[in-house]
Amino acid sequence: MLTPEEIKIKVEALFESDIRPCMQEDGGDIEFVKYEEATRVLEVRMLGACASCPLAIMTLRAGIERLIIDAIPQIRRIENIK
């Protein structure tokens, strides 16, 4: 079982390797806000063009959430914090 700090490190690594490059191509970005161990919810903030994009929730659910949960099953859900 990963600690919250280990989860943050692993999430940040996924952001750098797989998620952020795609988002930056479209003028957006993503940042880690916090991981709630009790609820197993990861909070992120969509930035740039992704913050106001009407398809951001689809990107979050179908792309980012799936990739992160597959890599870190300890995370149950991802929420975008505005």
Side-chain angles (χ1 to χ4, degrees), residues 31 42-43 61 79:
E31 75 176 353
L42 172 66
E43 294 180 359
R61 296 283 172 245
E79 292 295 328

Side-chain angles (χ1 to χ4, degrees), residues 64-73 75-78:
I64 297 168
E65 186 175 72
R66 188 185 61 202
L67 183 108
I68 289 178
I69 290 174
D70 284 350
I72 312 168
I75 295 172
R76 183 178 59 87
R77 190 176 78 241
I78 299 177

Side-chain angles (χ1 to χ4, degrees), residues 49-50 52-58:
C50 294
S52 59
C53 177
L55 298 176
I57 191 69
M58 288 178 58

Side-chain angles (χ1 to χ4, degrees), residues 3-56:
T3 67
E5 186 58 33
E6 290 169 327
I7 287 175
K8 179 180 181 180
I9 291 167
K10 203 164 179 178
V11 167
E12 290 284 1
L14 286 169
F15 283 176
E16 287 303 315
S17 64
D18 297 331
I19 298 168
R20 189 165 278 134
C22 295
M23 294 180 77
Q24 289 176 341
E25 283 181 11
D26 291 328
D29 206 345
I30 189 167
E31 75 176 353
F32 180 99
V33 175
K34 70 179 177 176
Y35 171 68
E36 282 291 330
E37 190 172 18
T39 59
R40 297 174 47 207
V41 173
L42 172 66
E43 294 180 359
V44 299
R45 183 171 294 117
M46 308 278 270
L47 303 169
C50 294
S52 59
C53 177
L55 298 176

